[in-house]
Amino acid sequence: MSSYNAPFEIHVHGQVQLRADASFEQIQEALKPLWKYAGARSLADGAASAYEEEPGIKYDAQEHLLQMCWTVRGDEDFRQSLDEMCMSLNELSELGAAIEVTFYDADFDEEDEGAEGAESRDDFLMLFVGPTPAAIMQVQRDLLVQDVVNMMERHFDGAELGGVVAEIDKLFSQRFDALVNSLEIGKPPRGGSGGAGGSGHGGGGRRPRHLH
């Protein structure tokens, strides 16, 4: 499909702390689903965003930090590329991290008078990567606490919300215990571990494009 006919502009945004021993070749391979989707032949060739003002995909070798603020034109099939990328980044990540992905409807124009009553096909995903399920759950927990506290601070003082945070922690502890138990039951004799990616949907109007 030509990028000019693509129904979405897809923005990938986030930063992932990678292991110190992760090589450039491994990073390039992990990100291959992205740059290959963009029609590039290498990470260097595909790291630039469709928008010049966005930094694109950058790797800070000194800080071992992968940063993404990158837009590509595409379709729903890009979700498969995201799943493949997350599975590969799990193997290279040092810490848990969240990656935001926004699908902007390329054909929708809010200012078009003829589009009155029409609905945008915009969509938003939050993906998670990490070296272990526990690392991923920690990021999910921190984001949920931040969202809940920000919302409730409109009505309550932050010092009053300790009990709410404790209940959130209890829910995640229960989820983690259930995960550990399920892993123990299905654990092979020699053991083994691995990370897992996840995603969530969010709605509520068009999200502004990230430019940082």
Side-chain angles (χ1 to χ4, degrees):
M1 173 187 295
S2 167
S3 63
Y4 295 104
N5 299 323
F8 295 103
E9 289 182 350
I10 308 165
H11 185 70
V12 181
H13 190 93
Q15 59 181 35
V16 183
Q17 187 71 48
L18 301 182
R19 299 197 322 262
D21 62 348
S23 68
F24 178 79
E25 289 74 18
Q26 289 176 308
I27 297 167
Q28 177 171 251
E29 185 64 25
L31 297 174
K32 187 175 181 178
L34 299 193
W35 54 259
K36 187 176 180 181
Y37 191 90
R41 296 184 177 181
S42 67
L43 176 55
D45 185 32
S49 174
Y51 289 91
E52 292 183 0
E53 64 268 25
E54 294 176 352
I57 302 173
K58 294 184 176 296
Y59 176 62
D60 186 329
Q62 277 195 320
E63 299 294 330
H64 311 296
L65 189 65
L66 173 66
Q67 302 182 71
M68 293 176 285
C69 184
W70 181 81
T71 297
V72 67
R73 293 180 176 87
D75 206 336
E76 291 284 352
D77 59 353
F78 186 68
R79 296 172 189 266
Q80 177 64 36
S81 298
L82 291 170
D83 289 341
E84 294 172 5
M85 177 196 70
C86 286
M87 293 301 293
S88 296
L89 285 180
N90 285 337
E91 303 297 323
L92 301 180
S93 60
E94 178 70 26
L95 303 171
I99 300 172
E100 300 175 355
V101 183
T102 310
F103 286 72
Y104 293 96
D105 186 342
D107 297 325
F108 184 77
D109 186 351
E110 290 178 307
E111 298 179 0
D112 185 357
E113 295 180 2
E116 185 175 351
E119 292 189 5
S120 166
R121 293 175 296 170
D122 289 0
D123 196 11
F124 174 74
L125 307 176
M126 184 71 82
L127 305 175
F128 298 92
V129 298
T132 64
I136 291 173
M137 282 191 187
Q138 183 64 48
V139 176
Q140 293 173 327
R141 175 265 179 202
D142 291 347
L143 285 175
L144 180 59
V145 167
Q146 180 180 334
D147 288 344
V148 170
V149 168
N150 286 344
M151 180 180 66
M152 295 192 69
E153 278 185 337
R154 302 172 192 167
H155 309 283
F156 300 93
D157 185 85
E160 300 178 83
L161 301 178
V164 175
V165 175
E167 287 302 313
I168 292 175
D169 284 337
K170 187 185 299 183
L171 288 172
F172 273 97
S173 293
Q174 292 171 354
R175 175 176 290 185
F176 181 72
D177 289 343
L179 176 64
V180 169
N181 289 335
S182 68
L183 290 176
E184 287 293 333
I185 292 173
K187 193 174 182 182
R190 297 179 63 85
S193 64
S199 66
H201 294 264
R206 287 208 120 185
R207 296 173 61 85
R209 188 182 304 281
H210 297 282
L211 295 176
H212 49 265

